[in-house]
Amino acid sequence: LSHTKPLRHLTETNFQKVERSVTKRHNDLNGDNSPTVSLFQNVLWLLTSIGVFYFTDFALVLLYDKRVDRLWLNIGASGIGVAVLCCLYCLVWLSWIKKVRSEKWEEYNPFVIPTATIATLIGGAMICKSVWPVWSILAIPILGTQFMGFIVFIAMIPDIL
């Protein structure tokens, strides 16, 4: 490999230009910059989530079905509640009241995002365990679809308001 030139001749600005060009090309190939694709994906997640909610009788099963293990459902709901409280803390308290930018949330409170992540994972697993007698293996995609629909809906709220 003696015939290759060392990369020392690239200055920092040239390196940044190359990196920007590669990133732009990657985004163009993957369609990451297209608002139409993003809107289509969001609408698709919402419609899928609404369809799954309707055709599985999601709310009725969680509220009234005797096969649902209420202990695990309550533990899972508590975990999801902790995650929602962490999100509200970041969005309302840190962003709106304290005026902390989202990039600085981890510096301001380094435990809130890992806490929300762990609470979401544990809560989701416990809810999955609670509805397993009803939907069996389909509990995983049903709950995953509902989770994605919820996330997309929450992400769209600032655009609606």
Side-chain angles (χ1 to χ4, degrees), residues 52-105:
V52 167
F53 187 86
Y54 178 76
F55 288 110
T56 61
D57 293 326
F58 191 80
L60 295 176
V61 168
L62 290 183
L63 292 174
Y64 302 116
D65 198 312
K66 300 292 182 201
R67 296 173 290 175
V68 174
D69 189 341
R70 300 288 165 199
L71 172 69
W72 295 115
L73 181 65
N74 292 336
I75 293 171
S78 298
I80 299 298
V82 168
V84 168
L85 287 176
C86 289
C87 291
L88 288 175
Y89 168 76
C90 288
L91 293 173
V92 176
W93 181 255
L94 291 182
S95 292
W96 293 349
I97 295 172
K98 291 287 193 176
K99 305 292 185 204
V100 176
R101 294 173 46 104
S102 60
E103 297 86 25
K104 304 286 184 179
W105 286 350

Side-chain angles (χ1 to χ4, degrees), residues 44 48 59 82 103 132:
L44 192 63
T48 305
V82 168
E103 297 86 25
W132 193 270

